[in-house]
Amino acid sequence: MTNDFKAYQTANNGLNTVIVEGICDFNLRHTFESGQCFRWSRQDDGSYTGVVKGRVLNVAYAADKQALTINNSNMDDFYNIWCDYFDLRTDYGAIKKKLSGVDEIMAKAVSYGYGLRLLRQDFWETLVSFIISANNRIPSIINIISNISKNYGDMITSGYPDGGYFAFPQPERLSCLNEREFMLCSRGGYRCGYIIGASKAYLSGAVKKEELALTDTVSARKAMMSLPGVGPKVADCVMLYSGTRYDVFPTDVWIKRAVEKLYFDKQVPLRQIHQFASLKFGSLAGYAQQYLFFYARENNIGK
DNA sequence: TCTCAGGACCTAG
DNA sequence: CTAGGTCCTGAG
């Protein structure tokens, strides 16, 4: 019953607003600053403004009231989009309890990132975002995604006052770009070739979210890796952060070093990390990774 | 076939 | 010179 909420619509500074009460196990910073998304920015008042699914919205959360405020939205969008996007139907209390019971280390990580949510993001945008993430820094990733949206996405006209927000472009648009021009406009470097190739492959039906969810982990990852620019790490990130599969354990340098430090006290090969995660956390491996990542990154575990 | 090591790769700071 | 990998190559 921990995810039993009620939502209603009101108005706030001339914008429609949805207020959702009864939301617990929720924290905006934990959720938005844990490496899963690149289009949310923190405001001075602690709220976050983001561009998602062709819309711009601002969200705030009051822990004392367990109330989530979604500015510039309405009840239809809440039930059709945001409820799913913020994973509000999932009982994180139960997940946290299970993971905390696994061992002391995980219990600590869970209590540290107590308000983490795995966002169910758009598959296509997540795919491109994580192709860009390869061998790149976060500020740069954010810039490139912003550039791509400005140059090739539609301007979002409804809603937010200060304007200048652009939706992330569809694969049809990116698939026919000139690579040289794409590199110049996005500053995405050599990844631009991958993105164009991945767009074409995606449009041809090389991967489908629904099928990835139905098959086994190994086959799903293999299918993802048929796309250019997608290796094991990017494959797992895309599946986890788009709400496609939760049994994967995206392993970047940070997670690898953190797991080595916290669980092995020595270096181990990647496949051993995956095997370890699968054995230890099973179907909850993705959630475990997210709690561990946030905990390790914020506390500089693994340098 | 498969695993593994080594080097290249756009770009911004 | 490095950064939240991937791709390509050659060896075993």
Side-chain angles (χ1 to χ4, degrees):
Chain A
M1 283 321 238
T2 53
N3 54 342
D4 189 21
F5 57 80
K6 77 170 180 197
Y8 58 92
Q9 188 173 330
T10 175
N12 182 8
N13 292 328
L15 292 179
N16 286 325
T17 292
V18 173
I19 295 177
V20 195
E21 292 175 345
I23 302 290
C24 49
D25 307 304
F26 196 92
N27 180 285
L28 294 174
R29 194 177 70 82
H30 297 178
T31 300
F32 292 141
E33 298 183 25
S34 57
Q36 59 177 322
C37 55
F38 303 99
R39 298 207 81 191
W40 286 94
S41 62
R42 188 182 179 86
Q43 308 301 120
D44 293 336
D45 63 358
S47 70
Y48 285 77
T49 299
V51 184
V52 183
K53 298 185 195 260
R55 293 158 172 80
V56 49
L57 67 163
N58 171 273
V59 297
Y61 179 70
D64 53 338
K65 296 175 189 162
Q66 298 196 339
L68 174 67
T69 301
I70 307 177
N71 285 306
N72 195 30
S73 191
N74 55 58
M75 295 305 282
D76 277 352
D77 278 4
F78 172 71
Y79 285 116
N80 292 328
I81 303 174
W82 309 127
C83 190
D84 178 69
Y85 178 80
F86 288 109
D87 208 12
L88 298 183
R89 300 276 186 208
T90 296
D91 185 352
Y92 277 74
I95 292 171
K96 285 160 66 176
K97 193 170 173 186
K98 268 190 201 163
L99 285 177
S100 296
V102 173
D103 63 45
E104 285 304 306
I105 297 167
M106 185 51 61
K108 200 159 181 187
V110 166
S111 111
Y112 189 84
Y114 61 88
L116 231 21
R117 292 265 156 170
L118 248 6
L119 299 171
R120 296 174 176 270
Q121 303 179 85
D122 176 73
F123 185 87
W124 164 246
E125 179 175 338
T126 307
L127 170 61
V128 177
S129 298
F130 281 90
I131 289 177
I132 293 167
S133 79
N135 194 25
N136 217 340
R137 291 181 173 81
I138 292 174
S140 180
I141 299 167
I142 291 171
N143 264 330
I144 295 166
I145 294 171
S146 167
N147 291 338
I148 292 176
S149 302
K150 274 181 192 147
N151 283 299
Y152 308 110
D154 296 328
M155 176 147 60
I156 301 169
T157 51
S158 70
Y160 241 60
D162 35 340
Y165 294 100
F166 293 83
F168 191 81
Q170 293 305 119
E172 287 81 358
R173 183 81 171 94
L174 299 187
S175 66
C176 53
L177 253 30
N178 170 275
E179 183 175 343
R180 201 65 219 165
E181 183 215 291
F182 191 22
M183 288 176 78
L184 252 21
C185 292
S186 68
R187 315 305 294 162
Y190 62 89
R191 304 166 194 84
C192 290
Y194 296 156
I195 294 173
I196 293 172
S199 305
K200 290 174 178 162
Y202 179 72
L203 287 172
S204 79
V207 300
K208 293 193 198 318
K209 175 172 170 164
E210 312 76 58
E211 292 177 8
L212 294 170
L214 290 175
T215 180
D216 59 290
T217 315
V218 175
S219 306
R221 186 180 291 131
K222 195 184 265 182
M224 286 294 300
M225 288 172 60
S226 72
L227 303 171
V230 178
K233 190 269 180 180
V234 171
D236 286 358
C237 280
V238 175
M239 290 195 285
L240 182 59
Y241 301 142
S242 64
T244 307
R245 299 189 72 92
Y246 292 91
D247 59 344
V248 292
F249 196 81
T251 307
D252 57 33
V253 288
W254 280 87
I255 270 293
K256 184 166 185 294
R257 289 191 297 226
V259 170
E260 287 169 344
K261 169 114 177 148
L262 295 169
Y263 286 100
F264 290 91
D265 204 36
K266 62 170 183 181
Q267 292 196 27
V268 294
L270 180 63
R271 61 170 187 285
Q272 197 172 335
I273 304 241
H274 279 138
Q275 185 188 325
F276 158 83
S278 170
L279 231 55
K280 196 139 180 135
F281 309 118
S283 61
L284 297 180
Y287 299 95
Q289 185 271 0
Q290 203 63 7
Y291 287 114
L292 264 183
F293 180 87
F294 187 70
Y295 174 63
R297 185 95 197 222
E298 294 270 319
N299 292 289
N300 261 300
I301 297 171
K303 261 185 182 101

